[in-house]
DNA sequence: CGGCTCATTGATGTAGCTCAAGCCTGGTGG
DNA sequence: CCACCAGGCTTGAGCTACATCAATGAGCCG
């Protein structure tokens, strides 16, 4: 931890921000935070907002303070694949240059703390820890992407849906010990169409697998978005892993 | 470029090594290279050698000087997915800690330049450019992984095989302009079984798609491993992208 | 109330899997 | 030098998991 400075130096908004604890900003001192925060724009965007491409984040970067962002790729004929989900306190945007065509879109309402490219460059130059944090997050994303390649390439439809639900459940509260077997409840951040695009299948098949898991008592469903998992171990068993 | 030092300081083996030009070592000065090279072990391992897990690279890292390494994940019941291919001058091994269960195996004979973890840590501390190079490589791998997620999730069998061949063809000579439409010839670094594990399909389907592409004149095959692509554009069209 | 979007469910079609047989090719030993 | 074998590849026949097409339901908003 390098936030050894006096806590009163830390800007109000940064104090409760997860990015300061586990994100990029964790590498910054109170003074640096103060400076950076003068150049950040906090904003909340509604679900569906495009956050990248020729529009927003080409010249700007952001920490996600809340909500879920989906990263996706599209083929000329419209087939689409979601290639990543990002949650707070992930960093959004690409150091160096973006060449690969990838789209970022708010899957839910998203709270952002944005700042210009020049500030990131400066931070990377002046504070060595920033680059390391970026490297760590990138390695984490790489692990997740590879994990998902296994899911996409080798799992059955029901294993895919179980894996997705397990991933979301695990992500809801990272602190939580998943061995404890207490019920977990959460709202899905994605529509069925998004889930289908994430899992490489059709809406209909996703829906059928939800129904199947519900009938087997592995999940409970309310209004199609609100999920309760009474026994996370049983869900885990359905993923095909472990 | 930070290799501003006298060329005669550069160790013999490093001079022709791709890692010095495009890989990690490119961030090092002649003096640093000299020091590092005293602690490296060059070796060539045959196809099939395990390079990671509890065995080799937990405490050691390496630059790939030649050959192809496949990274894969396995499910308890034996289903397998290749999640990445690495070529010279890629870096092999994981900074910080490896948690995700991933296996690295030589797909062909592989030439390595290995060194202990402590040396990498030291390099990262002392030479700032090293961390940046690692970050760049990791971002590249992330791009590739995501590209492959699209292939796994949304492409048909024949698009998958075409994408694989296109990727290999493009990788054979990265300098080459793929617009020029001259025939490209290469040997596949993977068996049909490996290709199947990479594309998330069965050996039989892979084989059928090769046959189909051959009958359509998009590729020529000799001994099942030696491929000629007379018109790279036609192959590209088969990938479904662009 | 009518017109959305999102989700579920059913009926039918098909791409790719499974199972099974046979074929090259390169290596080994008689 | 040929016979044999093993591992990798191809090809065929039939099956099935998932996609496609189509209809209906449930919440939501103007």
């Amino acid at each position: 931890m390098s936030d050894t400075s006096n806590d009163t130096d830390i800007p109000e908004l940064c104090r409760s921000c997860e990015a300061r604890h586990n994100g990029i900003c964790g590498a910054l001192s109170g003074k640096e935070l103060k400076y950076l925060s003068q150049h950040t724009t906090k904003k909340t965007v509604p679900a569906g907002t495009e956050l990248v491409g020729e529009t927003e984040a080409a010249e700007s970067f952001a920490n996600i303070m809340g909500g879920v962002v989906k990263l996706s790729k599209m083929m000329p004929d419209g087939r689409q694949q979601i290639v990543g989900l990002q949650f707070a306190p992930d960093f959004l945007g690409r150091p160096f240059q973006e060449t690969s065509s990838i789209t970022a879109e708010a899957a839910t309402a998203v709270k952002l703390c944005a700042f210009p490219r020049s500030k990131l460059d400066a931070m990377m130059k002046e504070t060595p820890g920033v680059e390391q944090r970026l490297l760590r997050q990138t390695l984490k994303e790489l692990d997740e992407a590879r994990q998902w390649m296994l899911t996409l390439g080798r799992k059955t439809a029901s294993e895919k849906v179980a894996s997705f639900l397990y991933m979301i459940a695990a992500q809801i509260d990272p602190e939580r010990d998943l061995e404890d077997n207490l019920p977990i409840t959460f709202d899905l951040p994605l529509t069925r169409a998004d889930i289908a695009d994430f899992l490489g299948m059709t809406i209909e098949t996703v829906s059928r697998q939800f129904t199947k898991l519900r009938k087997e008592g592995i999940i409970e469903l309310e209004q199609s978005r609100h999920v309760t998992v009474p026994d996370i171990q049983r869900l885990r068993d359905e993923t095909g892993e472990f």
Side-chain angles (χ1 to χ4, degrees), chain A:
Chain A
M1 294 297 151
S2 61
D3 49 335
T4 48
S5 58
N6 188 336
D7 245 24
T8 57
D9 285 351
I10 295 172
E12 185 56 41
L13 272 156
C14 297
R15 270 189 231 169
S16 61
C17 177
E18 283 188 80
R20 193 171 76 79
H21 303 296
N22 304 308
I24 302 297
C25 296
L28 302 177
S29 70
K31 209 200 289 183
E32 288 165 329
L33 278 174
K34 203 163 180 176
Y35 171 75
L36 179 63
S37 71
Q38 283 163 5
H39 300 274
T40 58
T41 321
K42 280 89 184 167
K43 58 181 160 189
T44 302
V45 302
T49 311
E50 284 243 342
L51 299 170
V52 113
E54 310 314 298
T55 59
E56 186 80 25
E59 278 307 308
S60 131
F61 295 86
N63 282 307
I64 300 172
M65 300 174 72
V68 179
V69 173
K70 60 184 203 213
L71 307 176
S72 52
K73 279 181 164 276
M74 195 145 116
M75 292 171 67
D77 62 3
R79 280 177 282 175
Q80 199 171 13
Q81 176 69 44
I82 293 181
V83 297
L85 289 182
Q86 307 209 270
F87 306 87
D90 288 347
F91 175 77
L92 190 63
R94 173 91 188 210
F96 313 124
Q97 198 56 269
E98 176 78 43
T99 50
S100 72
S101 54
I102 201 166
T103 314
E105 187 184 326
T108 64
V110 170
K111 220 165 94 188
L112 293 172
C113 178
F115 48 92
R117 171 183 279 272
S118 60
K119 293 292 171 287
L120 178 76
D121 288 343
M123 284 200 312
M124 280 177 59
K125 273 218 184 68
E126 286 157 31
T127 314
V130 170
E131 194 161 81
Q132 191 184 113
R133 296 237 174 189
L134 276 178
L135 179 55
R136 281 178 192 273
Q137 167 167 338
T138 308
L139 285 165
K140 195 191 95 204
E141 286 179 34
L142 183 57
D143 278 349
E144 289 165 358
R146 286 176 169 166
Q147 182 60 35
W148 221 251
M149 287 176 73
L150 176 66
T151 301
L152 286 171
R154 288 305 187 194
K155 290 191 186 176
T156 65
S158 71
E159 287 170 340
K160 283 180 177 180
V161 171
S163 300
F164 171 73
L165 289 170
Y166 186 74
M167 187 268 282
I168 297 291
Q171 133 70 37
I172 286 303
D173 184 0
E175 305 304 310
R176 167 161 187 173
D177 179 14
L178 286 178
E179 307 297 315
D180 65 5
N181 270 43
L182 294 171
I184 302 182
T185 292
F186 52 89
D187 283 307
L188 292 172
L190 302 186
T191 64
R192 295 288 186 273
D194 283 338
I195 298 171
D197 280 344
F198 193 41
L199 296 173
M201 24 197 257
T202 59
I203 299 180
E204 294 94 323
T205 305
V206 171
S207 183
R208 282 184 240 274
Q209 297 309 324
F210 268 95
T211 311
K212 179 171 151 271
L213 289 171
R214 182 169 51 69
K215 286 191 176 152
E216 291 171 352
I218 292 167
I219 59 171
E220 286 151 32
L221 271 177
E222 214 173 317
Q223 296 165 150
S224 84
R225 293 288 280 260
H226 193 75
V227 180
T228 299
V229 182
D231 181 352
I232 191 79
Q233 299 299 331
R234 277 189 72 202
L235 179 60
R236 207 192 61 171
D237 292 344
E238 297 293 319
T239 63
E241 290 180 68
F242 310 105

